[in-house]
């Protein structure tokens, strides 16, 4: 018996509700809006998280999670992400998905 399309997961018998691990709801992985509980989550928040994860993987340390990492210029490939606005502290300043 499968879940009917569009049904929320909690309505399916036998499924456990999963919680986001606490570490992922904190700085630097969650965007400032998510940590503050403001606005709606959208793909721009995912871009923030991916950019900060890329920084962590290349540098070996997390950024402070408030904007571009202080050492961003030291990582040439990450600097392009910064120029694209992925590290912007406000979702409105991050790039939107381009429609084709």
């Amino acid at each position: 018996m499968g879940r009917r399309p569009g049904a929320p997961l909690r309505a399916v018998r036998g499924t456990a509700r999963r919680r986001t691990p606490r570490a992922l709801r904190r700085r630097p992985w969650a965007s400032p809006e998510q940590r503050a509980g403001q606005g709606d989550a959208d793909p721009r928040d995912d871009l923030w998280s991916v950019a900060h994860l890329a920084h962590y993987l290349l540098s070996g340390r997390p950024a402070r999670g408030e904007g571009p990492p202080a050492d961003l210029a030291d990582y040439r490939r990450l600097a392009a992400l910064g120029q694209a606005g992925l590290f912007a502290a406000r979702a409105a300043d991050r790039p939107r998905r381009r429609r084709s």
Side-chain angles (χ1 to χ4, degrees), residues 27-48:
R27 171 180 300 151
W29 316 118
S31 68
E33 297 88 2
Q34 288 178 325
R35 290 191 314 263
Q38 299 172 340
D40 294 325
D42 68 21
R44 294 174 294 180
D45 296 312
D46 296 336
L47 291 174
W48 167 275

Side-chain angles (χ1 to χ4, degrees), residues 5-24:
L9 286 178
R10 67 181 174 276
V12 177
R13 192 177 305 181
T15 58
R17 189 169 185 192
R18 297 182 121 190
R19 292 185 51 128
T20 302
R22 221 172 161 212
L24 297 179

Side-chain angles (χ1 to χ4, degrees), residues 45-94:
D45 296 312
D46 296 336
L47 291 174
W48 167 275
S49 298
V50 168
H52 279 272
L53 179 61
H55 174 266
Y56 177 72
L57 292 172
L58 289 176
S59 70
R61 61 188 174 284
R64 62 186 194 279
E66 293 300 327
D71 62 349
L72 187 60
D74 296 342
Y75 301 95
R76 220 176 33 178
R77 293 176 189 247
L78 285 180
L81 297 178
Q83 292 169 355
L86 296 184
F87 289 103
R90 292 177 351 114
D93 298 332
R94 289 181 219 130

